[in-house]
Every structure is written in C-alpha cells, then in structure tokens.
Amino acid sequence: MNATVAAQPKPAINSFERYLSVWVALCIAVGIALGYSLPNLFAAIASAEIARVNLVVAVLIWLMIVPMLLKIDLGALGSVRQHWKGVGVTLFINWAVKPFSMALLGTLFLGWLFRPLLPQGEINAYIAGLILLAAAPCTAMVFVWSNLCDGEPTYTLSQVALNDVIMVFAFAPLVGLLLGVASITVPWDTLLISVLLYIVVPVIVAQIIRRALLSSGGQPALDRLLATLGPLSLVALLTTLVLLFGFQGPAILAHPLVIALIAIPILIQVYFNAGLAYWLSRRFGVAWCVAAPAALIGASNFFELAVAAAISLFGLNSGAALATVVGVLVEVPVMLSVVSIVKKTRPWYEQRVPA
C-alpha cells in the first residue's frame, strides 16, 4: 500500500468554527421553537417552491456551496482519474451497499425490534421512507462537508456529477426492487430541477466569477473573496438548519418517540457506510483528501428527492413522508460528527497499511 503521507499544516480555525457544533444545537432548538410558535410564517416560506424544491433553501444552499465551487479549477478535472479508486469506493457504497443496508436495518429495527412501540398501520410505510432516503446519494450539501474536512474539490465535484447521472437511470429501478413495486413514480421534475439548481447553475456562476477574478486580480483577488465568503457560507448553513427544523417543528413535538425510533436505523446506517467507505479507501491506498469526502458522500442522502418521492408515492401525511423528514432532521448534526471523526483520525489513516 501507499507510504505514509505527511499531513499538511492546517490553518487555524476561528472561534465560530471551533464551536460549530454548539451553534448547530442552538439552531435546532431555535428552529423547533419558531416552527411551533410561528407556524404560519414557516408555512409561507415552505410554500415558496417549484416541484417541491424550496426556493428559499435553494438560495441558502447557493450561499453555502458557491464559495466551495470557486476553489475548483474545471481545467483540473481530468486529474480526477488518478483518484479512480476513491470514485470506485464511493460508487460501491452508494449503489451496492447503502440502499440494501438501509432496507435491512429498517426491517430489523422498525419491523421487528420497535414494532410494539410504533403505529402498526404505518410500519411498512416508515421502512419504505427509509429506503427512498438511502437510494438517493446527496448532491449539494456534500460540497459543504467536503470543504469542512479539506477534501479534494475536483474529486468531490466529479463524484457528485457521476452520482447525479446514475441517479437519473437507477433511482426508480432500485427503489422498485427494494419496495417490491412494479412501477415507481419518480418525481422527475424535482430530480432535474434540483440538479439544475444545486449543481449546474452554481458551477457555471462560480466559474464565471473565478475566471473574472483571476483575469483581473490573480490568485490574491480570489483568495480575498474566499476569505470574505467563508463566514457567509457557515451562516447560510445555520440559517438552513433553522428553516429545516422550523418546517418540521410541530411534527417533532407531536411524534417525538416515533421520530427518535426512526432516527436510530438512519444513524447506524450513516456511520456504517461512512466507516466502510473510509476503511476501504485506506485499504486501497486512497489519499486522505479523497477518502474523507468519499466517506461523507457515501453516507449522506439527497433528502429533497427522498421527501418528494415519498409524498408522490404515499401522500403528504404518510409514514413514508415522515421517515424521510427524519432524515432531514439528522442530516446536518450527524454529517458534522462524521467530518469531525475523519479529521481526528487522519494520522491513523495516513499510517502505512499492514500488508
């Protein structure tokens, strides 16, 4: 396997970034409280959508990911070929492991262990919602997680683009197989608009800005803009968190036990898939800057598509829709914990792997 690679010096993080987990916890509490006390306001914000893609959240996601996309030199995308092992690991986790492991965990926990504690008529719908969640790899938010762990940006962009292409063809057959349904109605408008809003347009905008800055002021001009936009990106992340929890505040307070029980297989699945991707990357000699985002891409979910598909198939107030919403609720805190784990274990990762 590859020899140990010395870790590069890391820039010091400011107090805001150091206590990011504290701000996340506060945003969760504030979001739930505001959602419960101001339901009409959050209902109005939630209604600003196209094909179930919320426009307010889309703008916030833009603010989150454009600074990361500014770092990407599209001319260097050809170099991603050297990371083919990392690409292979992530594809294996996303399409051959994650949906099936979620089906197994959902059946084990919700269909058996927790069955006496759940509404009997909704158990199968809860499991279906978990499968929908796991069958769609994450897109936009992956750029945030990769940036937080100093991941390789060209690899991240290439992997997300590849997953989007595969998802167009594989999502419906895979979900149909796992749900045992002959025909799955895929919300194509949601899928295509999400990819357009979260990937295509931000990449184009970021590249236009990047080239303009490099032409006029060179790398120093780009570095100054990135330093300015960095805090804005984190504020957008926290604001998104307040909105997501605000949208679901009443549901959280109305079904706390059900939501807690549904969250358990989701949490196990996230850590299992992230850990497996990270371990496989190390065994195959993948560089840490690729292995870290590979673990995050392998574990996270495209919750916008999952929620839309659940509503289309089972209805707005179904157990399946509720299960996908739980995925939304745990996404940010759990992925931040995965970011922390891969960063803290970098020295172990970069040790020589025994033959």
Side-chain angles (χ1 to χ4, degrees):
M1 290 297 172
N2 291 350
T4 302
V5 178
Q8 297 298 318
K10 299 178 183 178
I13 61 175
N14 58 40
S15 298
F16 184 81
E17 294 173 325
R18 184 176 295 112
Y19 297 106
L20 184 58
S21 59
V22 175
W23 311 137
V24 166
L26 289 175
C27 287
I28 292 173
V30 169
I32 294 174
L34 290 178
Y36 183 78
S37 58
L38 300 171
N40 293 335
L41 172 61
F42 280 86
I45 298 174
S47 66
E49 60 180 23
I50 298 175
R52 302 186 187 90
V53 176
N54 188 271
L55 299 180
V56 178
V57 173
V59 170
L60 290 170
I61 289 179
W62 265 49
L63 294 176
M64 279 187 273
I65 68 174
V66 167
M68 294 83 176
L69 295 175
L70 284 171
K71 300 178 182 179
I72 296 174
D73 177 9
L74 290 183
L77 281 179
S79 65
V80 79
R81 289 193 297 269
Q82 65 182 300
H83 302 309
W84 65 270
K85 291 181 181 179
V87 172
V89 166
T90 309
L91 289 178
F92 172 69
I93 297 297
N94 279 157
W95 299 106
V97 176
K98 188 167 71 170
F100 301 95
S101 65
M102 181 62 96
L104 176 62
L105 290 169
T107 301
L108 174 63
F109 282 93
L110 304 185
W112 182 47
L113 292 177
F114 299 154
R115 176 175 286 274
L117 303 175
L118 295 170
Q120 296 302 303
E122 294 287 353
I123 291 176
N124 288 338
Y126 294 149
I127 297 173
L130 295 184
I131 291 172
L132 288 168
L133 192 66
C138 188
T139 55
M141 293 297 288
V142 164
F143 293 109
V144 180
W145 313 138
S146 179
N147 182 71
L148 288 174
C149 68
D150 305 317
E152 168 56 51
T154 53
Y155 159 78
T156 303
L157 177 60
S158 300
Q159 183 67 71
V160 168
L162 184 57
N163 271 337
D164 285 342
V165 172
I166 294 173
M167 191 157 39
V168 170
F169 299 99
F171 180 75
L174 184 58
V175 171
L177 172 67
L178 291 173
L179 294 183
V181 179
S183 177
I184 291 294
T185 302
V186 176
W188 294 108
D189 51 353
T190 300
L191 175 57
L192 296 177
I193 289 176
S194 294
V195 170
L196 185 67
L197 280 178
Y198 298 147
I199 305 299
V200 178
V201 175
V203 166
I204 293 173
V205 170
Q207 288 304 303
I208 291 173
I209 297 173
R210 175 186 172 88
R211 292 184 181 183
L213 287 171
L214 291 176
S215 297
S216 61
Q219 188 64 41
L222 179 59
D223 291 340
R224 286 194 297 270
L225 179 62
L226 290 173
T228 301
L229 293 179
L232 179 62
S233 179
L234 289 177
V235 170
L237 170 63
L238 296 177
T239 305
T240 303
L241 198 58
V242 171
L243 285 182
L244 293 178
F245 277 83
F247 292 153
Q248 306 302 331
I252 296 171
L253 297 177
H255 308 285
L257 177 60
V258 171
I259 287 174
L261 295 178
I262 293 174
I264 291 175
I266 295 176
L267 292 172
I268 294 174
Q269 187 250 28
V270 167
Y271 290 120
F272 168 74
N273 286 297
L276 180 60
Y278 198 52
W279 178 79
L280 286 174
S281 295
R282 186 171 185 261
R283 294 299 303 177
F284 290 129
V286 176
W288 183 87
C289 63
V290 170
L296 295 159
I297 296 172
S300 56
N301 303 305
F302 187 178
F303 53 77
E304 297 92 345
L305 176 61
V307 172
I311 293 172
S312 298
L313 289 171
F314 299 98
L316 179 62
N317 297 315
S318 65
L322 181 63
T324 58
V325 165
V326 177
V328 178
L329 300 181
V330 303
E331 174 83 5
V332 174
V334 173
M335 295 311 297
L336 284 173
S337 72
V338 175
V339 168
S340 177
I341 291 170
V342 296
K343 291 178 73 173
K344 290 179 179 178
T345 58
R346 182 172 182 174
W348 165 82
Y349 185 94
E350 294 183 334
Q351 292 173 355
R352 182 184 294 273
V353 180

